[in-house]
């Protein structure tokens, strides 16, 4: 059974940094894209960043471009989200997701087949 486990969330002051990790286990799939989404209280889930299998194909939502970096280590079956210059508006539960249908990155949450439980990121002003 495929499982995704996020870690690295926490409380940070505005301007600070956090690094989220998403470890994949039990996957029989080889070539898959991964992504990060987030959901703030009272808001819909939104796309944050995605990365294709090779790592050379990435997409970001406009509000995080230049501040966040998505990466992956296929040998460790792990994806990362480095978040710098954090703002209070970045406060949300962050979820990682896996798309077994394509090796290329996509911003549409309907593309993703497996999801983690989420990790809370809180940015204080």
């Amino acid at each position: 059974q495929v499982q995704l486990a996020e870690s690295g969330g926490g409380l940070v002051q505005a301007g600070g940094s956090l690094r989220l990790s998403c470890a994949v286990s039990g996957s029989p799939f080889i070539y898959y894209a991964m992504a990060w989404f987030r959901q703030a209280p009272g808001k819909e889930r939104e796309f944050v960043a995605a990365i294709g299998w090779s790592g050379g194909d990435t997409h970001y939502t406009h509000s995080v471009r230049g501040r966040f970096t998505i990466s992956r280590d296929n040998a460790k079956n792990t994806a990362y989200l480095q978040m710098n210059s954090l703002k209070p508006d970045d406060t949300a539960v962050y979820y990682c997701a896996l798309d077994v249908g394509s090796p290329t990155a996509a911003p549409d949450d309907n593309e993703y087949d497996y999801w983690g439980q989420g990790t809370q990121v809180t940015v204080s002003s």
Side-chain angles (χ1 to χ4, degrees), residues 78-93:
T78 301
Y80 305 95
L81 185 68
Q82 177 66 44
M83 306 186 294
N84 299 329
S85 302
L86 282 161
K87 304 175 181 179
D89 284 349
D90 295 317
T91 295
V93 177

Side-chain angles (χ1 to χ4, degrees), residues 30-88:
I30 299 176
Y31 303 110
Y32 52 82
M34 295 192 71
W36 290 92
F37 292 79
R38 66 187 180 187
Q39 187 167 20
K43 295 186 178 181
E44 294 187 352
R45 184 170 61 194
E46 66 169 347
F47 168 76
V48 176
I51 187 167
W53 171 253
S54 69
D57 172 25
T58 58
H59 294 276
Y60 297 92
T61 191
H62 177 75
S63 63
V64 308
R65 199 167 292 143
R67 301 188 297 122
F68 291 10
T69 303
I70 189 171
S71 62
R72 65 190 295 166
D73 184 338
N74 291 336
K76 296 182 178 179
N77 295 322
T78 301
Y80 305 95
L81 185 68
Q82 177 66 44
M83 306 186 294
N84 299 329
S85 302
L86 282 161
K87 304 175 181 179

Side-chain angles (χ1 to χ4, degrees), residues 31-32 99-103 111 113:
Y31 303 110
Y32 52 82
D99 175 8
V100 302
S102 172
E111 296 288 327
D113 307 285

